mmCIF file of all heavy atoms in Angstrom:
data_model
loop_
_atom_site.group_PDB
_atom_site.id
_atom_site.type_symbol
_atom_site.label_atom_id
_atom_site.label_comp_id
_atom_site.label_asym_id
_atom_site.label_seq_id
_atom_site.Cartn_x
_atom_site.Cartn_y
_atom_site.Cartn_z
ATOM 1 N N TRP C 1 51.819 -54.764 15.831
ATOM 2 C CA TRP C 1 50.440 -54.372 16.132
ATOM 3 C C TRP C 1 49.869 -53.366 15.067
ATOM 4 O O TRP C 1 48.792 -53.611 14.606
ATOM 5 C CB TRP C 1 50.420 -53.596 17.499
ATOM 6 C CG TRP C 1 49.041 -53.428 18.119
ATOM 7 C CD1 TRP C 1 48.399 -54.284 19.009
ATOM 8 C CD2 TRP C 1 48.175 -52.412 17.896
ATOM 9 N NE1 TRP C 1 47.138 -53.777 19.291
ATOM 10 C CE2 TRP C 1 47.009 -52.646 18.658
ATOM 11 C CE3 TRP C 1 48.304 -51.200 17.089
ATOM 12 C CZ2 TRP C 1 46.004 -51.770 18.555
ATOM 13 C CZ3 TRP C 1 47.125 -50.386 17.092
ATOM 14 C CH2 TRP C 1 46.075 -50.585 17.927
ATOM 15 N N ASN C 2 50.631 -52.450 14.656
ATOM 16 C CA ASN C 2 50.213 -51.540 13.522
ATOM 17 C C ASN C 2 49.968 -52.346 12.340
ATOM 18 O O ASN C 2 48.894 -52.105 11.696
ATOM 19 C CB ASN C 2 51.260 -50.432 13.350
ATOM 20 C CG ASN C 2 51.283 -49.352 14.366
ATOM 21 O OD1 ASN C 2 50.224 -49.167 15.206
ATOM 22 N ND2 ASN C 2 52.243 -48.432 14.214
ATOM 23 N N ALA C 3 50.838 -53.216 11.884
ATOM 24 C CA ALA C 3 50.633 -53.897 10.701
ATOM 25 C C ALA C 3 49.494 -54.794 10.642
ATOM 26 O O ALA C 3 48.764 -54.968 9.690
ATOM 27 C CB ALA C 3 51.989 -54.686 10.282
ATOM 28 N N ALA C 4 49.276 -55.543 11.820
ATOM 29 C CA ALA C 4 48.095 -56.389 11.915
ATOM 30 C C ALA C 4 46.913 -55.558 11.742
ATOM 31 O O ALA C 4 45.833 -55.967 11.061
ATOM 32 C CB ALA C 4 48.138 -57.167 13.169
ATOM 33 N N LYS C 5 46.838 -54.545 12.528
ATOM 34 C CA LYS C 5 45.617 -53.624 12.475
ATOM 35 C C LYS C 5 45.405 -53.063 11.003
ATOM 36 O O LYS C 5 44.261 -53.128 10.479
ATOM 37 C CB LYS C 5 45.793 -52.369 13.374
ATOM 38 C CG LYS C 5 44.555 -51.394 13.405
ATOM 39 C CD LYS C 5 44.862 -50.359 14.418
ATOM 40 C CE LYS C 5 43.808 -49.207 14.437
ATOM 41 N NZ LYS C 5 42.545 -49.755 14.988
ATOM 42 N N ARG C 6 46.460 -52.748 10.406
ATOM 43 C CA ARG C 6 46.421 -52.216 8.962
ATOM 44 C C ARG C 6 45.939 -53.412 7.954
ATOM 45 O O ARG C 6 45.140 -53.072 7.097
ATOM 46 C CB ARG C 6 47.776 -51.722 8.518
ATOM 47 C CG ARG C 6 47.891 -51.056 7.176
ATOM 48 C CD ARG C 6 49.179 -50.341 7.031
ATOM 49 N NE ARG C 6 49.179 -49.031 7.700
ATOM 50 C CZ ARG C 6 49.983 -48.666 8.655
ATOM 51 N NH1 ARG C 6 51.044 -49.510 8.931
ATOM 52 N NH2 ARG C 6 49.981 -47.509 9.172
ATOM 53 N N ALA C 7 46.297 -54.701 8.271
ATOM 54 C CA ALA C 7 45.891 -55.781 7.511
ATOM 55 C C ALA C 7 44.297 -55.913 7.650
ATOM 56 O O ALA C 7 43.532 -56.119 6.662
ATOM 57 C CB ALA C 7 46.535 -57.078 7.804
ATOM 58 N N LEU C 8 43.802 -55.759 8.942
ATOM 59 C CA LEU C 8 42.427 -55.877 9.237
ATOM 60 C C LEU C 8 41.684 -54.811 8.409
ATOM 61 O O LEU C 8 40.625 -55.034 7.887
ATOM 62 C CB LEU C 8 42.053 -55.730 10.688
ATOM 63 C CG LEU C 8 42.593 -56.956 11.537
ATOM 64 C CD1 LEU C 8 42.560 -56.613 13.004
ATOM 65 C CD2 LEU C 8 41.583 -58.119 11.356
ATOM 66 N N GLU C 9 42.125 -53.633 8.508
ATOM 67 C CA GLU C 9 41.454 -52.511 7.828
ATOM 68 C C GLU C 9 41.555 -52.565 6.292
ATOM 69 O O GLU C 9 40.800 -51.949 5.609
ATOM 70 C CB GLU C 9 42.011 -51.146 8.410
ATOM 71 C CG GLU C 9 41.787 -50.934 9.832
ATOM 72 C CD GLU C 9 42.247 -49.542 10.290
ATOM 73 O OE1 GLU C 9 42.937 -48.900 9.589
ATOM 74 O OE2 GLU C 9 41.853 -49.244 11.426
ATOM 75 N N GLY C 10 42.506 -53.420 5.774
ATOM 76 C CA GLY C 10 42.604 -53.611 4.446
ATOM 77 C C GLY C 10 41.621 -54.673 3.914
ATOM 78 O O GLY C 10 41.686 -55.150 2.805
ATOM 79 N N GLY C 11 40.853 -55.312 4.819
ATOM 80 C CA GLY C 11 39.773 -56.216 4.474
ATOM 81 C C GLY C 11 40.172 -57.744 4.733
ATOM 82 O O GLY C 11 39.424 -58.682 4.514
ATOM 83 N N TYR C 12 41.321 -57.978 5.417
ATOM 84 C CA TYR C 12 41.751 -59.450 5.703
ATOM 85 C C TYR C 12 40.983 -59.802 6.918
ATOM 86 O O TYR C 12 40.957 -59.042 7.973
ATOM 87 C CB TYR C 12 43.264 -59.529 5.801
ATOM 88 C CG TYR C 12 43.923 -59.475 4.492
ATOM 89 C CD1 TYR C 12 44.367 -58.168 4.021
ATOM 90 C CD2 TYR C 12 44.172 -60.486 3.731
ATOM 91 C CE1 TYR C 12 44.918 -57.979 2.741
ATOM 92 C CE2 TYR C 12 44.674 -60.406 2.443
ATOM 93 C CZ TYR C 12 45.137 -59.144 2.027
ATOM 94 O OH TYR C 12 45.699 -59.017 0.716
ATOM 95 N N ARG C 13 40.451 -61.085 6.854
ATOM 96 C CA ARG C 13 39.411 -61.462 7.937
ATOM 97 C C ARG C 13 39.965 -62.468 8.897
ATOM 98 O O ARG C 13 39.343 -62.746 9.911
ATOM 99 C CB ARG C 13 38.212 -62.048 7.219
ATOM 100 C CG ARG C 13 37.606 -61.096 6.387
ATOM 101 C CD ARG C 13 36.326 -61.615 5.542
ATOM 102 N NE ARG C 13 35.710 -60.752 4.661
ATOM 103 C CZ ARG C 13 35.139 -61.112 3.550
ATOM 104 N NH1 ARG C 13 35.018 -62.387 3.185
ATOM 105 N NH2 ARG C 13 34.554 -60.194 2.735
ATOM 106 N N ASN C 14 41.259 -63.012 8.607
ATOM 107 C CA ASN C 14 41.733 -63.998 9.438
ATOM 108 C C ASN C 14 43.157 -63.639 9.807
ATOM 109 O O ASN C 14 44.125 -64.297 9.484
ATOM 110 C CB ASN C 14 41.682 -65.382 8.633
ATOM 111 C CG ASN C 14 41.884 -66.566 9.503
ATOM 112 O OD1 ASN C 14 42.141 -66.518 10.798
ATOM 113 N ND2 ASN C 14 41.747 -67.735 8.982
ATOM 114 N N VAL C 15 43.313 -62.544 10.581
ATOM 115 C CA VAL C 15 44.554 -62.043 10.937
ATOM 116 C C VAL C 15 44.921 -62.417 12.423
ATOM 117 O O VAL C 15 44.053 -62.312 13.356
ATOM 118 C CB VAL C 15 44.593 -60.464 10.798
ATOM 119 C CG1 VAL C 15 45.860 -59.901 11.446
ATOM 120 C CG2 VAL C 15 44.419 -60.000 9.448
ATOM 121 N N ALA C 16 46.090 -62.981 12.567
ATOM 122 C CA ALA C 16 46.631 -63.249 13.930
ATOM 123 C C ALA C 16 47.781 -62.356 14.215
ATOM 124 O O ALA C 16 48.591 -62.138 13.465
ATOM 125 C CB ALA C 16 46.987 -64.718 13.976
ATOM 126 N N TRP C 17 47.846 -61.862 15.425
ATOM 127 C CA TRP C 17 49.012 -60.994 15.895
ATOM 128 C C TRP C 17 49.824 -61.940 16.811
ATOM 129 O O TRP C 17 49.269 -62.503 17.912
ATOM 130 C CB TRP C 17 48.478 -59.726 16.549
ATOM 131 C CG TRP C 17 49.551 -58.899 17.113
ATOM 132 C CD1 TRP C 17 50.872 -58.661 16.659
ATOM 133 C CD2 TRP C 17 49.481 -58.261 18.403
ATOM 134 N NE1 TRP C 17 51.459 -57.784 17.633
ATOM 135 C CE2 TRP C 17 50.753 -57.545 18.637
ATOM 136 C CE3 TRP C 17 48.568 -58.227 19.440
ATOM 137 C CZ2 TRP C 17 50.906 -56.931 19.856
ATOM 138 C CZ3 TRP C 17 48.819 -57.582 20.596
ATOM 139 C CH2 TRP C 17 50.006 -56.874 20.840
ATOM 140 N N PHE C 18 51.059 -62.011 16.612
ATOM 141 C CA PHE C 18 51.981 -62.725 17.459
ATOM 142 C C PHE C 18 53.017 -61.769 18.184
ATOM 143 O O PHE C 18 54.088 -61.471 17.664
ATOM 144 C CB PHE C 18 52.791 -63.823 16.553
ATOM 145 C CG PHE C 18 53.848 -64.578 17.278
ATOM 146 C CD1 PHE C 18 53.734 -64.944 18.534
ATOM 147 C CD2 PHE C 18 54.997 -65.068 16.566
ATOM 148 C CE1 PHE C 18 54.698 -65.669 19.258
ATOM 149 C CE2 PHE C 18 55.957 -65.804 17.176
ATOM 150 C CZ PHE C 18 55.766 -66.120 18.514
ATOM 151 N N PRO C 19 52.572 -61.255 19.332
ATOM 152 C CA PRO C 19 53.294 -60.232 19.870
ATOM 153 C C PRO C 19 54.764 -60.578 20.474
ATOM 154 O O PRO C 19 55.643 -59.788 20.579
ATOM 155 C CB PRO C 19 52.459 -59.743 21.032
ATOM 156 C CG PRO C 19 51.476 -60.822 21.317
ATOM 157 C CD PRO C 19 51.352 -61.574 20.064
ATOM 158 N N GLU C 20 54.981 -61.846 20.886
ATOM 159 C CA GLU C 20 56.286 -62.251 21.189
ATOM 160 C C GLU C 20 57.304 -62.376 20.067
ATOM 161 O O GLU C 20 58.469 -62.194 20.244
ATOM 162 C CB GLU C 20 56.229 -63.639 21.883
ATOM 163 C CG GLU C 20 55.592 -63.553 23.302
ATOM 164 C CD GLU C 20 56.346 -62.786 24.237
ATOM 165 O OE1 GLU C 20 57.478 -63.115 24.483
ATOM 166 O OE2 GLU C 20 55.822 -61.884 24.786
ATOM 167 N N GLY C 21 56.769 -62.519 18.890
ATOM 168 C CA GLY C 21 57.639 -62.425 17.652
ATOM 169 C C GLY C 21 58.927 -63.249 17.727
ATOM 170 O O GLY C 21 58.953 -64.347 18.314
ATOM 171 N N VAL C 22 59.933 -62.849 16.939
ATOM 172 C CA VAL C 22 61.220 -63.521 16.874
ATOM 173 C C VAL C 22 61.828 -63.800 18.280
ATOM 174 O O VAL C 22 62.340 -64.796 18.421
ATOM 175 C CB VAL C 22 62.170 -62.802 15.942
ATOM 176 C CG1 VAL C 22 63.496 -63.528 15.881
ATOM 177 C CG2 VAL C 22 61.524 -62.789 14.671
ATOM 178 N N ASP C 23 61.678 -62.922 19.196
ATOM 179 C CA ASP C 23 62.311 -63.133 20.454
ATOM 180 C C ASP C 23 61.649 -64.245 21.241
ATOM 181 O O ASP C 23 62.395 -65.081 21.726
ATOM 182 C CB ASP C 23 62.100 -61.782 21.385
ATOM 183 C CG ASP C 23 62.861 -60.621 20.731
ATOM 184 O OD1 ASP C 23 63.935 -60.741 20.160
ATOM 185 O OD2 ASP C 23 62.302 -59.480 20.878
ATOM 186 N N GLY C 24 60.339 -64.257 21.171
ATOM 187 C CA GLY C 24 59.687 -65.443 21.927
ATOM 188 C C GLY C 24 59.937 -66.769 21.127
ATOM 189 O O GLY C 24 60.128 -67.848 21.793
ATOM 190 N N TRP C 25 60.073 -66.650 19.912
ATOM 191 C CA TRP C 25 60.313 -67.872 19.068
ATOM 192 C C TRP C 25 61.671 -68.464 19.364
ATOM 193 O O TRP C 25 61.865 -69.542 19.596
ATOM 194 C CB TRP C 25 60.144 -67.475 17.599
ATOM 195 C CG TRP C 25 60.277 -68.680 16.552
ATOM 196 C CD1 TRP C 25 61.302 -69.182 16.007
ATOM 197 C CD2 TRP C 25 59.046 -69.395 16.081
ATOM 198 N NE1 TRP C 25 60.932 -70.215 15.157
ATOM 199 C CE2 TRP C 25 59.507 -70.233 15.123
ATOM 200 C CE3 TRP C 25 57.712 -69.202 16.299
ATOM 201 C CZ2 TRP C 25 58.707 -71.076 14.394
ATOM 202 C CZ3 TRP C 25 56.923 -70.005 15.627
ATOM 203 C CH2 TRP C 25 57.332 -70.953 14.667
ATOM 204 N N SER C 26 62.739 -67.528 19.341
ATOM 205 C CA SER C 26 64.030 -67.961 19.704
ATOM 206 C C SER C 26 64.204 -68.427 21.157
ATOM 207 O O SER C 26 64.845 -69.406 21.380
ATOM 208 C CB SER C 26 64.994 -66.784 19.466
ATOM 209 O OG SER C 26 66.196 -67.161 19.823
ATOM 210 N N ASP C 27 63.453 -67.853 22.070
ATOM 211 C CA ASP C 27 63.570 -68.225 23.489
ATOM 212 C C ASP C 27 63.073 -69.632 23.701
ATOM 213 O O ASP C 27 63.377 -70.372 24.551
ATOM 214 C CB ASP C 27 62.897 -67.246 24.402
ATOM 215 C CG ASP C 27 63.568 -65.853 24.483
ATOM 216 O OD1 ASP C 27 64.703 -65.735 24.100
ATOM 217 O OD2 ASP C 27 62.852 -64.884 24.982
ATOM 218 N N ALA C 28 62.052 -70.042 22.802
ATOM 219 C CA ALA C 28 61.497 -71.305 22.981
ATOM 220 C C ALA C 28 62.293 -72.384 22.267
ATOM 221 O O ALA C 28 61.886 -73.536 22.201
ATOM 222 C CB ALA C 28 60.005 -71.329 22.369
ATOM 223 N N GLY C 29 63.439 -72.002 21.723
ATOM 224 C CA GLY C 29 64.318 -72.924 21.041
ATOM 225 C C GLY C 29 63.817 -73.362 19.656
ATOM 226 O O GLY C 29 64.356 -74.369 19.129
ATOM 227 N N LEU C 30 63.036 -72.558 18.994
ATOM 228 C CA LEU C 30 62.465 -72.885 17.688
ATOM 229 C C LEU C 30 63.446 -72.380 16.621
ATOM 230 O O LEU C 30 64.206 -71.350 16.832
ATOM 231 C CB LEU C 30 61.074 -72.233 17.470
ATOM 232 C CG LEU C 30 59.920 -72.876 18.351
ATOM 233 C CD1 LEU C 30 58.761 -72.031 18.509
ATOM 234 C CD2 LEU C 30 59.644 -74.325 17.944
ATOM 235 N N PRO C 31 63.425 -72.977 15.522
ATOM 236 C CA PRO C 31 64.395 -72.514 14.480
ATOM 237 C C PRO C 31 64.224 -71.200 13.899
ATOM 238 O O PRO C 31 63.057 -70.675 13.714
ATOM 239 C CB PRO C 31 64.306 -73.613 13.378
ATOM 240 C CG PRO C 31 62.795 -74.140 13.479
ATOM 241 C CD PRO C 31 62.581 -73.891 14.926
ATOM 242 N N LEU C 32 65.294 -70.583 13.437
ATOM 243 C CA LEU C 32 65.378 -69.339 12.735
ATOM 244 C C LEU C 32 65.990 -69.539 11.432
ATOM 245 O O LEU C 32 66.793 -70.370 11.275
ATOM 246 C CB LEU C 32 65.874 -68.253 13.574
ATOM 247 C CG LEU C 32 65.195 -67.831 14.798
ATOM 248 C CD1 LEU C 32 66.000 -66.931 15.689
ATOM 249 C CD2 LEU C 32 63.838 -67.137 14.432
ATOM 250 N N ALA C 33 65.835 -68.676 10.461
ATOM 251 C CA ALA C 33 66.425 -68.759 9.192
ATOM 252 C C ALA C 33 66.772 -67.345 8.573
ATOM 253 O O ALA C 33 65.943 -66.449 8.954
ATOM 254 C CB ALA C 33 65.573 -69.503 8.148
ATOM 255 N N PRO C 34 67.812 -67.136 7.816
ATOM 256 C CA PRO C 34 68.041 -65.758 7.294
ATOM 257 C C PRO C 34 66.830 -65.426 6.433
ATOM 258 O O PRO C 34 66.451 -66.133 5.675
ATOM 259 C CB PRO C 34 69.351 -66.080 6.500
ATOM 260 C CG PRO C 34 70.005 -67.239 7.123
ATOM 261 C CD PRO C 34 68.867 -68.150 7.553
ATOM 262 N N ALA C 35 66.530 -64.147 6.477
ATOM 263 C CA ALA C 35 65.474 -63.625 5.761
ATOM 264 C C ALA C 35 65.934 -62.470 4.856
ATOM 265 O O ALA C 35 66.854 -61.810 5.217
ATOM 266 C CB ALA C 35 64.286 -63.129 6.670
ATOM 267 N N GLN C 36 65.312 -62.289 3.680
ATOM 268 C CA GLN C 36 65.506 -61.237 2.756
ATOM 269 C C GLN C 36 64.220 -60.417 2.568
ATOM 270 O O GLN C 36 63.192 -61.077 2.473
ATOM 271 C CB GLN C 36 66.045 -61.800 1.367
ATOM 272 C CG GLN C 36 67.418 -62.310 1.481
ATOM 273 C CD GLN C 36 68.580 -61.467 1.883
ATOM 274 O OE1 GLN C 36 68.530 -60.237 1.616
ATOM 275 N NE2 GLN C 36 69.530 -61.944 2.661
ATOM 276 N N PRO C 37 64.257 -59.113 2.467
ATOM 277 C CA PRO C 37 63.108 -58.365 2.358
ATOM 278 C C PRO C 37 62.400 -58.641 0.996
ATOM 279 O O PRO C 37 63.233 -58.975 -0.005
ATOM 280 C CB PRO C 37 63.425 -57.015 2.435
ATOM 281 C CG PRO C 37 64.888 -56.964 2.529
ATOM 282 C CD PRO C 37 65.470 -58.259 2.636
#
């Protein structure tokens, strides 16, 4: 929520917030992949 708000305040005009995140994605049986920062 904070990061999406920060992106909006940075001037980005097409920001979507996905509150269920990785948990909701995994619960729906959708694929995950290892991530690196």
Side-chain angles (χ1 to χ4, degrees):
W1 192 92
N2 279 349
K5 181 178 177 68
R6 188 166 280 124
L8 287 166
E9 293 184 351
Y12 289 89
R13 300 172 185 154
N14 198 354
V15 175
W17 173 45
F18 176 32
E20 287 296 298
V22 172
D23 296 323
W25 191 269
S26 177
D27 289 349
L30 294 163
L32 294 169
Q36 294 296 326

